[in-house]
Amino acid sequence: AQSVTQLGSHVSVSEGALVLLRCNYSSSVPPYLFWYVQYPNQGLQLLLKYTSAATLVKGINGFEAEFKKSETSFHLTKPSAHMSDAAEYFCAVSDGMGSGNTPLVFGKGTRLSVIA
Amino acid sequence: DGGITQSPKYLFRKEGQNVTLSCEQNLNHDAMYWYRQDPGQGLRLIYYSQIVNDFQKGDIAEGYSVSREKKESFPLTVTSAQKNPTAFYLCASRLLSGELFFGEGSRLTVL
C-alpha cells in the first residue's frame, strides 16, 4: 500500500525567506508524485508533478521539488516566500501509469503561513 | 472552458436526511473520484469510477453511495447511515498524464 507523510502540519516563514515543505512517501512500485495547493474553501490546484523523468521538477508560482529515491522524499521548495503563498499544501502519490487509474493517496497537508 | 462543476457549494442537512452532491465534468475524462476533507486529516477517498457503469469503494465508503450512468456525471449521495457527514467534499477527474483535476468543492453541514 502506498502512503505519504508530510512533516509539520503548520509551517511559518517570513516574507522573502526560503519555503521548505517536507514529504516522504512509501510505494512498492515506481511512484508518480504530486504537490497540490489549496486556498480556503476552494478545490486543489496542481503545483507540480514527478512522473519518472527529471528528478528536479519545476512548477507554477516559483515552486520546485526534487525526487530523491534513496531518501523516499519529494520536498517542496521556493527560494523566496510571498504573502500570496499562504495556503494549505498537499503531497500525493500514485502508482505509475502502468497501474491504470490507481487513486492518488494524499498526505494530511501542511498549512503555510507567511509573516510580513 | 473545460472543468468540473460541483453543486451546491454549501448545503445544510438535518440528521436522518439523505443528500446528493452533484459533480459534472466536460473534460471527457474517464476516471472520476470523490474525496472527503476534514481539518488535519487530508483527503480521504470515498469512491471512484474508472469507466461508465462501474465504480469502486475507497477507504471510507460506508454511509455513501454513487452512480456513474454518464461519463460526464458522478453524483455522491450521503445517506443517513453516515454518522459524521459534516465535511468538505471534493470531486475530481483524472488526466491521461496522471494528475487529478478538482472541482471547487461542496461543504456539507449537518444541523
Side-chain angles (χ1 to χ4, degrees), chain B residues 8-111:
Chain B
K9 188 165 180 65
Y10 298 95
L11 183 61
F12 298 88
R13 179 193 109 173
K14 293 182 180 179
E15 285 192 22
Q17 289 182 333
N18 292 357
V19 294
T20 297
L21 307 181
S22 171
C23 177
E24 302 281 331
Q25 56 107 349
N26 60 2
L27 300 166
N28 200 33
H29 292 165
D30 287 315
M32 297 185 73
Y33 305 80
W34 274 106
Y35 286 90
R36 169 179 170 145
Q37 185 178 15
D38 297 280
Q41 296 197 46
L43 277 69
R44 293 182 290 168
L45 183 66
I46 306 173
Y47 268 98
Y48 66 104
S49 169
Q50 299 192 40
I51 198 167
V52 174
N53 293 323
D54 185 51
F55 48 82
Q56 290 79 39
K57 293 182 179 180
D59 300 317
I60 56 165
E62 184 175 354
Y64 299 97
S65 66
V66 294
S67 63
R68 188 82 187 277
E69 297 176 359
K70 299 185 302 181
K71 188 175 187 177
E72 301 79 17
S73 180
F74 191 41
L76 174 73
T77 296
V78 185
T79 75
S80 57
Q82 170 51 236
K83 298 306 179 188
N84 185 21
T86 294
F88 191 52
Y89 292 88
L90 288 158
C91 179
S93 64
R94 191 155 191 177
L95 284 73
L96 290 176
S97 49
E99 67 264 35
L100 298 182
F101 187 88
F102 284 87
E104 291 291 293
S106 293
R107 185 168 297 282
L108 172 63
T109 303
V110 174
L111 303 174

